[in-house]
């Protein structure tokens, strides 16, 4: 039985974010990248999250920090509010390690470098 993708697209994981996370395809839009990064957090795929962060921003984070945050959270749902140009607004619902519910509300900015989209920043 096929499993729906964690990103909330309604599409099966194999046809949605899996090809991006496995490096078979590149996300063609900032929204596709953001959805695949959320799915990577669900899967605790630190390498994908780190590698899709803009190279100039990687010095501000580490795979260890990403892994710690991913491990401390149970990701529940992603809600994309809008996506336009290089911006994606979303809400990511999760439970922390004390089972307290949270909503991470962010406006993300992405940058395209040599035909590949990267996460640049969020506010």
């Amino acid at each position: 039985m096929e499993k729906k993708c964690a990103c909330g697209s309604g599409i099966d994981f194999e046809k949605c974010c899996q090809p991006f996370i496995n490096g078979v395809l590149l996300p063609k839009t900032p929204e596709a990248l953001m959805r695949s990064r959320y799915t990577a957090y669900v899967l605790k795929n630190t390498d994908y999250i780190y590698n899709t962060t803009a190279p100039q921003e990687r010095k501000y984070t580490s795979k260890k920090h990403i892994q710690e945050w991913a491990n401390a959270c149970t990701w529940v749902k992603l809600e994309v509010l809008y996506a336009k140009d290089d911006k994606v607004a979303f809400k990511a619902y999760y439970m922390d390690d004390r089972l307290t519910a949270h909503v991470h509300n962010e406006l993300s900015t992405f940058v395209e470098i040599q035909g590949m989209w990267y996460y640049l920043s969020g506010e």
Side-chain angles (χ1 to χ4, degrees):
M1 180 176 204
E2 295 187 5
K3 185 175 140 188
K4 297 295 179 198
C5 193
C7 79
S9 67
I11 300 170
D12 291 332
F13 173 64
E14 293 174 345
K15 295 175 183 157
C16 192
C17 291
Q18 185 179 31
F20 304 138
I21 293 170
N22 288 348
V24 175
L25 296 173
L26 294 176
K28 295 186 187 299
T29 65
E31 181 180 353
L33 177 60
M34 191 278 309
R35 287 181 177 278
S36 66
R37 285 173 54 89
Y38 172 84
T39 301
Y41 271 107
V42 171
L43 299 172
K44 301 177 185 350
N45 187 320
T46 305
D47 289 336
Y48 184 77
I49 297 162
Y50 184 82
N51 292 336
T52 57
T53 299
Q56 67 268 31
E57 297 299 312
R58 291 179 191 159
K59 62 187 170 205
Y60 301 114
T61 191
S62 68
K63 288 182 184 182
K64 181 182 178 198
H65 178 258
I66 294 167
Q67 191 72 53
E68 287 171 353
W69 196 44
N71 287 341
C73 301
T74 300
W75 299 95
V76 178
K77 178 177 119 177
L78 176 67
E79 181 181 355
V80 175
L81 305 174
Y82 73 86
K84 186 175 179 189
D85 301 325
D86 64 345
K87 307 273 192 232
V88 179
F90 68 92
K91 291 182 180 180
Y93 298 82
Y94 67 97
M95 305 281 281
D96 66 19
D97 54 0
R98 294 183 179 147
L99 300 180
T100 303
H102 296 275
V103 179
H104 178 80
N105 195 350
E106 183 173 312
L107 174 61
S108 296
T109 302
F110 296 83
V111 62
E112 189 176 14
I113 302 170
Q114 298 178 344
M116 189 167 165
W117 284 103
Y118 293 92
Y119 172 79
L120 182 63
S121 64
E123 52 185 76

